[in-house]
Amino acid sequence: MIPNGPLRVRPAATVVCIRGAGAAAKAADAAGGTLSLEERAKNHVQEATRNEGPGSQLGSDASARIRVLFGEKAKRRALASAVCVLATAEALFHSNWEVLMGQGEVQNWIRSRPEKEVPMRYPGEWKFAGGVVDHGETPRQAAMRELEEEFQVKVALTEATCKLRLLSVKQTRPIRNVSNIMFNYVAAAEENPWLQELNVQEVNASLAQRRKSFAEAVEGGNFYTLGKEEQENLAPEIHQEYREAFQYRWTENVLLSSVLTLTPGPNTLTIDGQEVVIDLPAEDRGIRGVFWADPCFSSRYVNCAFGQTFQTLERSTRMLNAAFEDDSLDLFGVLGDNFYDQSGELTQEFFSRVSLNVKRRFWLMVNGNHDNWVCGFPFCGSSSDDFGIGQMQYYPMDTVASKNDRIFSFDIDPDRNKQWNQFLNNGTNFLFYHKLGNVGFLGYTGAADFAETLPHLHAACEYFAVSQPEVIFLLGHWNNEGLGCSQGMSVPEIHSTLMQIPGCSAFGRRGNYVQAKDEQSAYGFMIGGHGMADAMCAPQYGFAYLDTTGDRIRLYYFEVGRSGVWGIVVGAVLGVLLGALLGFWGVGTAISVQWLDMRSAVLHAFTSMNGSLLPVNDFQKQEFDRLGLQRRDPMFLTMVTLLEVDSFPSLRSLVSYSESLDPDEEVRRMQWLRDGMTPEEVMAKLKTSNAPAQVVAMFRTAEERGRLWEQRMKQEQTARL
């Protein structure tokens, strides 16, 4: 799949769990519990001939790969019937290894809706444990974590308890702008007691019970009425964290997070070995929080004339750290024009100074004109500007954009658009509506288009009509049009619009907006700035304190310093910031795990490349029929990795080979796509990489594997003498 923006290259890890075929497995074969390779191939051929006809032939690309992996003879057989290849290539299988694999769910229940059923990537396939490497993890550590998550390993896997052997490093073709550098490891039961003791029946019983509970919720009609967190907990997919490098701006950062289900009161989490307590206020309980506006402490990009005068960085962070020692505080909001930061360095400087007590609270952020164009005006925008892209990823929120498949909308690439005097972002990345305790918050960016925003305002009012907060605060940045604010999008104008929408109009005076400058209205409030001043506004330094406890709603402003009157419209977006973790979710899958003989495992992967649908078992067939799926996604890398493992006659030979590998050198040797490549550069690489010579360079041929087997067998025999 060709990327539609700059390519992201990230590390990932998989683990091939193996054991020697034992007496129990041989007994099962003798009793007819496992079909031979020839029988399986024959059955698939008959099924393909009966149901698929000519469609069972392979495409040209798959045919070229078959020739490389199984030889010219197998390729000729492939033209007649794809699955005959493995019967033809029977002699190419050497080992007696068995492989532990997990079969994935077919439907992606988290992304599906009653009106639209969405399949998983590689639906219903047998796969290794594996996933993307978290920020701060090594590939080896990620591999151990994935084993614990996907195969429900009860022992904490560490360097001391888990022996992993590096098998290979490969790079995947790009999918959705991402290419993975795959670190493939092998865990042998012979040197891993936890793998010897893993009770597959218990694991499958646990997975089956989870799937049963989930099925009852779907059949009862309750599943799709649940919130996303409840769906995550109930669905049969095994939960994983999301991890992505930032896109487009501030790309040296990585986004890490998980969706969590919290209960009212304290919730204890462990983040990077440190316990963190998140206090969730009960619904309709009063809350307390602190708001800032226009925090400015550096003149790197703008004239922060009073940052030093007011000592905003030192004094403000000390104030926060002291105030949030009080456990009754629930939230902190930075209220637009966040640090006047173009590159992300000033944001990191601030964040490094606040305590864990501040970071563990609910954070509220908004997009302002200086967050888009650091100079503050569209006409002086430049290619270096952030357009809120780095900001929205550093402080990710549960916005309207996250209702789709991903937490953000990256449909606008500023470096391809290059209209620097425009808002090069999607307004849904900043538009949210939430209820925390007894307060409703509705936040947005005035840089967005009014017509695109209006349907979301109606949806927000419907939400508030149902959730019934005690008070609603409209939180934005611009109090007038101009300076990048679109027509009809200033805070007073949006407030007037809301007051005419059912669901919001009923709140009357309880529907407030928070803004600044030196005027007030019956529905508006002023917040002082944090050291910024320009020709239109004199400086002021202060903060707001919101308290809705005790059946009262109070908003106080505390002035720390002033020279004239300065302020800006409060803006807030509700989200959770846990230490250095940043928000989003992701899911992996496994509905069952099973030890497969090597030939069966290869057969399952191989038949995925067939033009016809040859399901791996009845579960996949029934689910494909239910969803109307016509073909499987090719499991080529899985098959290649299995064949590589098969070329080792013993654990001794595998260990010897693994110890000879230099991981860094393997990455340099195998990487063919680079981070940040344009779609045109990727296309050029893909064209050259489709050639058979390139395939041969990346994967060992049938002949090479045969020679390696013989060489390793001779070395084994010599070692025994």
Side-chain angles (χ1 to χ4, degrees), residues 205-226:
S206 174
L207 293 172
Q209 181 58 47
R210 182 174 184 177
R211 202 163 197 276
K212 178 182 177 183
S213 299
F214 165 75
E216 291 172 352
V218 172
E219 292 170 2
N222 298 323
F223 179 72
Y224 292 110
T225 66
L226 300 175

Side-chain angles (χ1 to χ4, degrees), residues 278-441:
I278 306 298
D279 288 303
L280 177 66
E283 187 172 10
D284 298 322
R285 194 210 80 183
I287 62 172
R288 295 187 173 99
V290 174
F291 293 92
W292 290 359
D294 275 50
C296 184
F297 61 79
S298 171
S299 295
R300 179 178 302 180
Y301 302 110
V302 297
N303 179 22
C304 185
F306 290 85
Q308 291 300 317
T309 301
F310 294 144
Q311 300 177 39
T312 49
L313 178 61
E314 181 179 354
R315 296 173 70 184
S316 296
T317 52
R318 289 176 61 186
M319 180 274 288
L320 282 180
N321 292 339
F324 280 84
E325 290 292 324
D326 183 348
D327 288 337
S328 70
L329 283 170
D330 300 292
L331 61 92
F332 167 58
V334 180
L335 312 174
D337 287 352
N338 301 286
F339 313 112
Y340 298 80
D341 188 7
Q342 189 180 68
S343 67
E345 295 177 19
L346 301 180
T347 298
Q348 293 178 22
E349 171 68 15
F350 160 75
F351 196 79
S352 69
R353 290 175 176 247
V354 295
S355 68
L356 180 60
N357 262 334
V358 181
K359 294 172 182 175
R360 70 182 180 88
R361 297 324 210 278
F362 293 90
W363 277 49
L364 314 170
M365 309 299 294
V366 76
N367 172 261
N369 54 312
H370 286 274
D371 296 315
N372 299 321
W373 312 275
V374 76
C375 66
F377 303 89
F379 70 80
C380 56
S382 75
S383 60
S384 299
D385 278 325
D386 182 49
F387 305 103
I389 299 170
Q391 174 203 17
M392 75 186 190
Q393 294 176 87
Y394 202 93
Y395 304 105
M397 307 298 169
D398 188 11
T399 62
V400 170
S402 68
K403 290 185 175 182
N404 299 316
D405 288 349
R406 300 175 65 83
I407 189 172
F408 305 117
S409 171
F410 287 112
D411 57 341
I412 301 176
D413 178 354
D415 299 315
R416 290 175 65 86
N417 185 287
K418 297 185 178 181
Q419 301 297 314
W420 313 123
N421 62 346
Q422 297 180 8
F423 177 55
L424 300 181
N425 207 325
N426 191 310
T428 60
N429 288 319
F430 303 98
L431 197 153
F432 74 94
Y433 41 92
H434 298 289
K435 180 183 179 184
L436 183 65
N438 61 352
V439 179
F441 293 103

Side-chain angles (χ1 to χ4, degrees), residues 1-171:
M1 184 179 296
I2 305 303
N4 56 14
L7 183 70
R8 289 175 293 143
V9 176
R10 63 188 185 183
T14 63
V15 187
V16 186
C17 295
I18 63 172
R19 70 180 184 185
K26 295 177 181 177
D29 286 341
T34 303
L35 290 177
S36 68
L37 178 67
E38 293 89 346
E39 291 171 316
R40 288 173 181 268
K42 181 179 179 181
N43 289 350
H44 279 304
V45 171
Q46 292 173 345
E47 183 70 17
T49 302
R50 181 167 57 250
N51 296 330
E52 304 294 343
S56 63
Q57 295 182 359
L58 293 173
S60 59
D61 183 57
S63 181
R65 296 181 179 201
I66 298 295
R67 184 173 66 253
V68 171
L69 291 172
F70 297 106
E72 184 64 33
K73 182 179 179 182
K75 185 258 184 181
R76 289 196 298 269
R77 290 292 299 273
L79 296 179
S81 178
V83 294
C84 285
V85 173
L86 292 188
T88 300
E90 172 72 15
L92 299 178
F93 293 89
H94 307 286
S95 73
N96 288 319
W97 296 121
E98 290 182 333
V99 187
L100 184 65
M101 304 187 78
Q103 184 175 20
E105 181 63 72
V106 173
Q107 181 169 344
N108 187 326
W109 296 98
I110 303 303
R111 294 182 179 177
S112 295
R113 293 293 178 266
E115 67 278 4
K116 183 181 180 182
E117 295 166 322
V118 180
M120 298 292 295
R121 178 70 175 167
Y122 306 116
E125 300 294 347
W126 289 99
K127 298 180 291 186
F128 309 127
V132 179
V133 177
D134 278 345
H135 182 61
E137 273 187 329
T138 66
R140 192 176 296 273
Q141 290 169 336
M144 290 186 283
R145 173 177 51 77
E146 293 291 345
L147 282 170
E148 291 182 359
E149 293 175 357
E150 299 197 23
F151 290 162
Q152 299 193 1
V153 177
K154 297 179 180 179
V155 178
L157 299 183
T158 65
E159 294 287 346
T161 61
C162 182
K163 182 70 72 175
L164 298 180
R165 304 292 182 179
L166 180 64
L167 174 69
S168 62
V169 178
K170 290 180 170 54
Q171 184 169 22

